[in-house]
Amino acid sequence: MFLIPCPYCGTRDQSEFAYGGQAHVARPEDPASLSDAEWAEFVFFRDNPKGLFAERWNHASGCRRWFNVLRSTASDRIYAAYEIGTPPPAIEGDGPATPSGEVVGSGNDAVKLVKTADEGTRP
Amino acid sequence: MLDPRRRSPLAHRMPIRAASGAVSLAEWPFLSKLIVRCQAGRDATAVEAVTGVALPTTACTSATAGERSLLWLGPDEWMLVAPDGEAAALETDLRAALTGPHTQVVDVSDYYTVITLTGARGRDVLARLVTIDLHPRHFAKGRVVGTLAGAVNLLVWLRDESDAAGPVFDVIVRASMADHVWCLMAEAGRAFGCPAQEPRGGERLRGALEDVA
Ligand SMILES: [Zn+2]
């Protein structure tokens, strides 16, 4: 559970919100001209990054408005909440990364940090 | 025309009062309630001309004039509450006054009912049910929030507060959930001496309280 800053009501508990998946997925201008593969790409395929992810939330129990959130899927840290129709703010980085490129903040951090300092030797 | 046979959703519940006097619950039946959707910048004067209440544009606040109030529900959505019997005329007048695009006026008087919670420990009762910060510093007179209690969406409105009477909360809840929320609030008030209330549907209340504790 975490707190989500609704751009209209302020910070509220996650239980008041409903999740809406990846943000900024534009509907194709001319769906009829798409191949089946391209249409399937639009309908079914979504990014699944470890790290910063722009996603839609709905304040279902509060003002019932949709908005976008920039969240790290690794640490659940929320970097920004912004209105639908506006581009995501430019956010620099997401904390220190491990040698394999993973974001610190998920899994066993102690092990990852040790690996960072000692080139892969486990304690 | 108001039907003389009408029954409010909590007509089967008598008002309850904790022995300590610190918590009281009563239904406020038949209050007129209308959902008003419009653009604040364009329509505020039209709404005020009909209702006599200035449209509150700050999130989670309300404005009151006489016996009417406008509650902020969203950036383009308000609830107008007014005395019993005024809904039909207000709906007609507001629809005539709000002619622009993206406007809507709907009479929801029968869709919601109001549970009024009074007494010095009102904040403590609600604090067991919702995750909202109810401290007077954050939740002052006039504040209204939509939130979640257990599995139920409701509006919590601090209609009035004075040193003598303490806080006066109005919990605006959908009619079908009214009995559940009534019993939930009584259960949350047990610590302050509220009598137990058995839900008409027979559901367990303790679990719902533990979920948010
Ligand atoms: Zn909100």
Side-chain angles (χ1 to χ4, degrees):
Chain A
M1 299 293 269
F2 46 89
L3 298 173
I4 297 176
C6 170
Y8 307 104
C9 303
T11 299
R12 299 285 184 87
D13 192 85
Q14 184 198 345
S15 58
E16 292 188 8
F17 296 85
Y19 186 64
Q22 185 176 359
H24 309 296
V25 179
R27 187 180 172 83
E29 293 277 335
D30 182 15
S33 69
L34 262 52
S35 69
D36 284 355
E38 288 168 329
W39 182 246
E41 180 76 24
F42 163 68
V43 172
F44 299 114
F45 287 76
R46 294 293 180 265
D47 297 341
N48 186 22
K50 184 171 188 176
L52 272 186
F53 189 46
E55 56 196 11
R56 300 179 300 176
W57 286 87
N58 177 254
H59 193 185
S61 301
C63 62
R64 305 197 307 286
R65 293 308 180 279
W66 285 95
F67 58 96
N68 296 326
V69 164
L70 207 54
R71 177 177 68 97
S72 167
T73 58
S75 64
D76 271 348
R77 179 174 166 192
I78 291 176
Y79 286 83
Y82 52 102
E83 290 183 27
I84 290 285
T86 53
I91 299 290
E92 278 295 317
D94 190 18
T98 61
S100 61
E102 282 185 319
V103 175
V104 174
S106 66
N108 190 341
D109 287 339
V111 172
K112 290 177 190 167
L113 288 167
V114 167
K115 282 173 78 175
T116 311
D118 194 17
E119 286 307 308
T121 321
R122 285 179 183 270
Chain B
M1 193 61 199
L2 300 172
D3 191 326
R5 296 166 301 174
R6 64 185 181 161
R7 274 169 68 86
S8 68
L10 290 172
H12 58 293
R13 296 284 178 191
M14 296 299 289
I16 56 174
R17 190 169 187 275
S20 62
V23 180
S24 297
L25 287 182
E27 187 191 14
W28 185 5
F30 307 128
L31 184 70
S32 293
K33 310 167 204 75
L34 296 102
I35 296 292
V36 181
R37 299 198 66 170
C38 61
Q39 310 296 312
R42 182 189 65 201
D43 299 321
T45 43
V47 173
E48 188 170 358
V50 172
T51 62
V53 189
L55 202 63
T57 50
T58 307
C60 304
T61 61
S62 64
T64 300
E67 290 190 88
R68 291 176 181 167
S69 298
L70 278 165
L71 320 184
W72 184 98
L73 302 188
D76 62 351
E77 184 174 3
W78 290 264
M79 179 184 278
L80 171 64
V81 300
D84 184 20
E86 291 189 3
L90 281 170
E91 187 181 34
T92 308
D93 294 348
L94 278 170
R95 281 185 181 170
L98 298 175
T99 52
H102 304 302
T103 57
Q104 185 185 42
V105 180
V106 183
D107 178 3
V108 293
S109 304
D110 300 334
Y111 184 56
Y112 292 95
T113 192
V114 181
I115 300 170
T116 302
L117 166 68
T118 51
R121 303 307 292 269
R123 280 194 162 82
D124 302 280
V125 171
L126 281 176
R128 297 195 68 198
L129 298 173
V130 301
T131 56
I132 302 291
D133 184 355
L134 294 162
H135 191 279
R137 205 166 44 224
H138 291 276
F139 211 96
K141 177 179 163 179
R143 193 157 180 84
V144 56
V145 298
T147 186
L148 191 68
V152 188
N153 285 348
L154 35 77
L155 285 169
V156 177
W157 177 30
L158 183 53
R159 172 159 49 95
D160 202 1
E161 178 159 38
S162 63
D163 289 338
V168 179
F169 285 100
D170 282 327
V171 174
I172 303 172
V173 59
R174 285 167 179 82
S176 58
M177 288 293 186
D179 187 71
H180 176 73
V181 173
W182 173 276
C183 297
L184 211 54
M185 290 172 73
E187 183 69 24
R190 290 282 293 280
F192 313 108
C194 266
Q197 301 282 287
E198 276 297 312
R200 199 161 54 168
E203 71 271 20
R204 285 177 72 246
L205 296 170
R206 184 151 290 277
L209 277 182
E210 278 165 2
D211 285 345
V212 296

